[in-house]
Amino acid sequence: MLSRDDFASMASWFGDVLTGEDLAVYKDAWRQPRALTGMLNWYRAADAGPPDPERGRPEGNFSCGVPPESLAVPVETLVVWVNESLAPLSLVDGLAAYVSKLSVVTVPGAGHWLPERQPAELNRLIREFLSS
């Protein structure tokens, strides 16, 4: 369904953000075997996570039985979020309990497509993070 009419519905999500050449690159990626499945699975797993009684997951919802303490991320991690996305910032709530060196930066006015709408700002944030 998403691939119907040469990905017309998916292309419309970008509005006028992408040039025709850029959109062609995206479509080539979307045509790869299992690419759409991988993209959709990211959204399906967006609410997966460790135990969180406040969100109604006292036991977590990992089906693989991984103990939460083994989920620790010991490296410095940058999350760049946009304040005009359909995905709420609350998705990172509780992440600091597992990522001890977490930095969360919110970029205003970018919408969901930060790399396409504000590539210079995203590059600046990444470079700043990597050089600190």
Side-chain angles (χ1 to χ4, degrees):
M1 185 165 157
L2 290 175
S3 61
R4 186 177 11 193
D5 298 326
D6 195 32
F7 303 97
S9 67
M10 291 176 65
S12 73
W13 299 343
F14 288 96
D16 62 353
V17 172
L18 299 178
T19 66
E21 185 178 325
D22 290 338
L23 185 56
V25 171
Y26 272 85
K27 288 180 179 181
D28 285 343
W30 296 338
R31 286 186 187 99
Q32 299 302 308
R34 297 176 300 284
L36 294 179
T37 301
M39 290 167 43
L40 293 173
N41 283 346
W42 187 92
Y43 288 98
R44 288 179 183 132
D47 196 39
D52 186 346
E54 291 181 20
R55 293 181 70 194
R57 297 189 314 227
E59 303 301 321
N61 62 355
F62 289 114
S63 60
C64 59
V66 175
E69 59 275 6
S70 70
L71 300 174
V73 177
V75 297
E76 293 184 38
T77 302
L78 173 66
V79 173
V80 180
W81 208 268
V82 293
N83 67 348
E84 296 174 14
S85 176
L86 296 175
L89 183 58
S90 63
L91 286 175
V92 300
D93 288 351
L95 191 57
Y98 298 91
V99 183
S100 60
K101 300 172 187 171
L102 177 66
S103 297
V104 179
V105 177
T106 302
V107 178
H112 189 72
W113 307 109
L114 178 63
E116 291 78 14
R117 289 195 185 271
Q118 294 187 21
E121 177 64 5
L122 178 59
N123 287 336
R124 183 189 70 76
L125 291 169
I126 292 171
R127 283 188 182 111
E128 184 179 282
F129 175 77
L130 293 174
S131 66
S132 64

